[in-house]
Amino acid sequence: MADEKVTVTVLARMKKEGKRIVALTAYDFPFARMVDESGVDMILVGDSVGMVVCGETSTLPVTMDQMIYHTKIVSRGVKRAMLVGDMPFGSYQISPAQAVDNAARFLKEAGAAAVKLEGGAAVADTIRAISAAGIPVQAHIGLTPQSIHAMGGYKVQRQEDRLLSDARCVQEAGAFSVVLEGIPAPIAEKITAELTIPTIGIGAGVKCDGQILVLHDLLGLNEGHVPKFVKKYGNLAKAAREALAGYVGEVREEKFPGPEHSFGK
Ligand code: KIV
C-alpha cells in the first residue's frame, strides 16, 4: 500500500521482496514534509545537521539537545516514513545504560521510531541494550564520520574481513538495519547478500537494499565540497541566490513593494 506507515516490519518485508528502500535526511519541518510526501521510506535526522545546517566542520560537536530539537521539528512533518534519530558523538559510548537513556529520549521527547549509531563489533553490547529496551537500532559501519580522527580522515574503508565481521556482529546484536557508508561496491554487495536485515548504502554502490543521501547534497543546497558518491538532483543554492538578488535589487530600485503588495487607505 502506497501510504502504509513504514515500520521495521515493512522494511524487513521490503528486503525479502527485493524492493529498494529509499532514505533521506531531513532537519526541519518544511523539508521533512516535502521529503515525506515524495514517498521516501525512511527519514534520518542525521548528525550531519552539524555540518550542513549549523556550519560545523565535522559532526563531533553535535549535542543530544540539538538532535532532540531537530528530530522533534522533523517529526511534525512526517506521516508515512519511518523516522530515525541519529545518536551524536558521546551520547552512547560511555556505557550501555547511558546509551539506553539517550536513545529513549528520541522516542519519548522527539517522536522518532528508531535510533542510529555508528560502529560495528565495538558497539554490539550497546545495540543489544538499546534493542532490549524495545528501541529499534540502525547500525552504521564502514566510513563512520564520528571516528574521523581514528580513521585519519573521511576515507573509503576497504578491509573486507573487518567490514563483514562488523556487519554480522550488529545483526546478531539486534540491529534492524545497517547503513554501509564509503565502502567498495563489491563488499557492500557481499554484505547485503549475507545479511537478513536491510542494508542502506551511501557511497556503497547500487546493490545495497536501499540508499540514503544527505538532503542538502541531493538538492544542491550545499555549496561546499560534495563527495564523489553524491548526485545532485537540483540546484537550490542557485535558485535561492537568484531569488535573494531579485529582492535586494527591487528594494534598492523601489520596485518592491508594488501596488499589489501594498494596502490602500
Ligand atoms: O548523519 C547523517 O546524515 C548520516 C547519513 C549520511 C547516513 O549518518
Side-chain angles (χ1 to χ4, degrees):
M1 231 168 51
D3 54 4
E4 180 183 18
K5 176 75 188 161
V6 182
T7 61
V8 287
T9 41
V10 171
L11 297 173
R13 191 175 72 216
M14 289 176 78
K15 167 144 185 151
K16 267 200 188 131
E17 293 174 353
K19 289 191 182 139
R20 286 291 180 259
I21 297 165
V22 189
L24 259 182
T25 66
Y27 314 101
D28 62 24
F29 172 74
F31 276 124
R33 193 160 61 177
M34 283 189 257
V35 170
D36 189 55
E37 289 174 0
S38 75
V40 309
D41 305 301
M42 182 189 292
I43 296 179
L44 169 73
V45 184
D47 63 353
S48 49
V49 68
M51 297 175 79
V52 298
V53 175
C54 306
E56 303 279 9
T57 54
S58 79
T59 58
L60 296 177
V62 175
T63 64
M64 267 304 292
D65 286 346
Q66 267 178 293
M67 291 309 303
I68 294 297
Y69 171 77
H70 284 279
T71 307
K72 197 187 277 186
I73 60 178
V74 164
S75 76
R76 296 181 190 136
V78 178
K79 291 199 174 104
R80 177 185 170 273
M82 176 161 181
L83 181 59
V84 182
D86 207 4
M87 299 196 69
F89 179 64
S91 71
Y92 57 95
Q93 286 90 348
I94 295 170
S95 68
Q98 178 223 19
V100 174
D101 225 31
N102 281 322
R105 286 190 66 194
F106 279 97
L107 275 63
K108 281 169 82 95
E109 298 175 36
V115 297
K116 177 173 85 59
L117 52 79
E118 296 183 9
V123 292
D125 285 344
T126 307
I127 293 174
R128 211 168 276 118
I130 300 174
S131 306
I135 302 168
V137 184
Q138 180 167 52
H140 181 161
I141 65 169
L143 194 172
T144 45
Q146 291 175 13
S147 307
I148 179 180
H149 296 302
M151 291 182 306
Y154 297 110
K155 293 179 181 158
V156 175
Q157 302 296 300
R158 301 177 187 278
Q159 316 93 314
E160 181 166 342
D161 289 349
R162 173 156 180 221
L163 290 164
L164 272 162
S165 119
D166 278 342
R168 288 179 192 126
C169 276
V170 299
Q171 172 169 283
E172 187 275 325
F176 76 92
S177 164
V178 56
V179 169
L180 307 179
E181 177 164 356
I183 70 178
I187 302 180
E189 184 173 0
K190 204 164 168 179
I191 293 172
T192 302
E194 187 179 314
L195 294 194
T196 55
I197 57 172
T199 62
I200 308 293
I202 174 161
V206 76
K207 292 297 184 189
C208 300
D209 296 308
Q211 298 291 329
I212 188 164
L213 281 177
V214 167
L215 180 68
H216 289 48
D217 290 344
L218 171 153
L219 293 178
L221 262 171
N222 173 7
E223 295 181 293
H225 166 77
V226 285
K228 171 184 162 73
F229 57 75
V230 167
K231 178 168 176 181
K232 283 191 186 185
Y233 287 84
N235 195 340
L236 263 57
K238 184 165 173 271
R241 285 190 182 279
E242 281 167 7
L244 293 168
Y247 171 68
V248 170
E250 290 200 355
V251 169
R252 294 217 166 109
E253 289 165 22
E254 284 185 39
K255 286 186 179 157
F256 177 83
E260 72 278 29
H261 299 112
S262 303
F263 300 104
K265 263 197 185 162

